[in-house]
Every structure is written in structure tokens, then in C-alpha cells.
Amino acid sequence: LADLGLSSMQIDNNDRGFTYKRSGPLDMRMNSNDDTENAYDLLKRLRVRKLKSMLKENSDEEFAIEIAAGLIGKGMKIPETTTE
């Protein structure tokens, strides 16, 4: 059992940008009304090495480098602004 800090209401609301089941903005902020950077803008700004480090440090993701390179690697198109 783990408390991930998210509720199903947040995940199920496609306007929050946490779901990939339905189209919505690529936001993923806990409070979408504040001025913090959304997920789309973060991915546009980051380099592969920094995203890999963030994935490793925050989720212990075994395939952090593959995910980072797949999202923003050399020659890759920046993900669209939606969760599709």
C-alpha cells in the first residue's frame, strides 16, 4: 500500500493531464492554477541527461535513460501538448 499523493479524481479528470486514456493538456501540475511550469513546457526545456536524473531520483525508474531519450532525445519531436 502506498500513498502516491494522487486521487482517482485527479487522474480521471483529463483536464489535469495525468491520464493517457483520454485527450487532455499535457499539464500534470498538482495545482494547475498556479504559475509553475507544466509538463509540456518542462519537456521542451530539459535535456536528456537532466530528465534521466529526474526519473531516477524521483521514481527509481530502471529504464530512465531509454524513456528520456525516447521523449526528448536527439532528433525526436517534442511531445504534443496533449496526453494523446
Side-chain angles (χ1 to χ4, degrees), residues 12-35:
D12 292 340
N13 181 346
N14 46 319
D15 291 333
R16 299 296 305 271
F18 287 102
T19 184
Y20 55 85
K21 292 180 180 180
R22 293 176 302 280
S23 179
L26 188 55
D27 192 333
M28 299 184 81
R29 293 176 290 173
M30 295 306 287
N31 180 356
S32 57
N33 294 322
D34 67 18
D35 291 334

Side-chain angles (χ1 to χ4, degrees), residues 50-69 71:
K50 178 63 177 171
L51 180 57
K52 180 198 101 170
S53 295
M54 291 172 71
L55 289 168
K56 287 290 261 188
E57 291 171 14
N58 295 298
S59 67
D60 297 321
E61 176 55 57
E62 180 180 352
F63 300 104
I65 189 65
E66 291 86 354
I67 293 169
L71 285 172

